[in-house]
């Protein structure tokens, strides 16, 4: 399948980090989601019930991330991927989770972890 629903630049504040100092302050993470699904039915029906409701998806991802206790970006990206894969019709998902201000002395634009997972129906 080559149909996708894509969410770019979701910003959520959470506590994440490998050290107590880093976890001691809320940080903003950036999330991108690319879910592969079959859009042939909703493209004909024009019915929200036949597709992935991206409003509900974004809301659920934001709530999960805000409440997460993950230490690592990899863990958080995996949790988001698992949540997305639970949606009916998702065949595959790629999730990117990044920090614009990572706790390193070098100046970088962002550090991002990307995970790619098969959907539950695979």
């Amino acid at each position: 399948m080559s149909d996708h629903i894509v969410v770019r630049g979701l910003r959520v504040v959470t506590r994440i980090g490998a050290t107590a100092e880093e976890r001691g302050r809320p940080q903003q993470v950036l999330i991108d989601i690319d879910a592969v699904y079959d859009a042939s039915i909703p493209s004909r029906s024009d019915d929200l019930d036949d597709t992935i409701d991206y409003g509900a998806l974004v809301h659920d991802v934001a709530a999960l991330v805000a409440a997460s206790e993950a230490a690592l970006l990899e863990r958080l990206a995996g949790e988001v991927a698992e949540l997305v894969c639970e949606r009916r019709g998702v065949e595959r998902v790629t999730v990117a989770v990044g920090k614009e201000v990572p706790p390193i002395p070098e100046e970088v634009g962002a550090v991002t972890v990307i995970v790619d997972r098969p959907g539950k129906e695979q």
Side-chain angles (χ1 to χ4, degrees):
M1 188 57 48
S2 61
D3 302 330
H4 298 250
I5 190 162
V6 179
V7 175
R8 293 280 180 255
L10 174 60
R11 295 175 183 272
V12 181
V13 175
T14 190
R15 291 188 185 271
I16 188 168
T19 66
E21 178 183 348
E22 191 179 7
R23 293 179 69 77
R25 60 177 169 35
Q27 300 176 63
Q28 181 173 262
V29 293
L30 300 172
I31 303 154
D32 293 335
I33 301 165
D34 185 344
V36 177
Y37 74 115
D38 182 355
S40 63
I41 293 172
S43 69
R44 289 188 305 272
S45 72
D46 201 26
D47 187 340
L48 183 60
D49 290 336
D50 291 334
T51 192
I52 297 169
D53 180 343
Y54 61 79
L57 177 69
V58 168
H59 174 80
D60 292 350
V61 168
L64 173 104
V65 171
S68 177
E69 296 289 327
L72 302 177
L73 291 173
E74 291 86 347
R75 172 68 181 262
L76 187 55
E79 290 175 352
V80 171
E82 186 173 316
L83 177 75
V84 175
C85 285
E86 291 173 358
R87 289 295 204 275
R88 178 179 48 91
V90 172
E91 297 173 9
R92 179 161 219 86
V93 67
T94 301
V95 174
V97 177
K99 294 181 183 181
E100 288 183 314
V101 186
I104 58 177
E106 294 77 18
E107 187 174 326
V108 298
V111 173
T112 303
V113 169
I114 300 172
V115 300
D116 186 68
R117 301 285 189 268
K120 301 282 184 194
E121 296 177 12
Q122 297 298 309

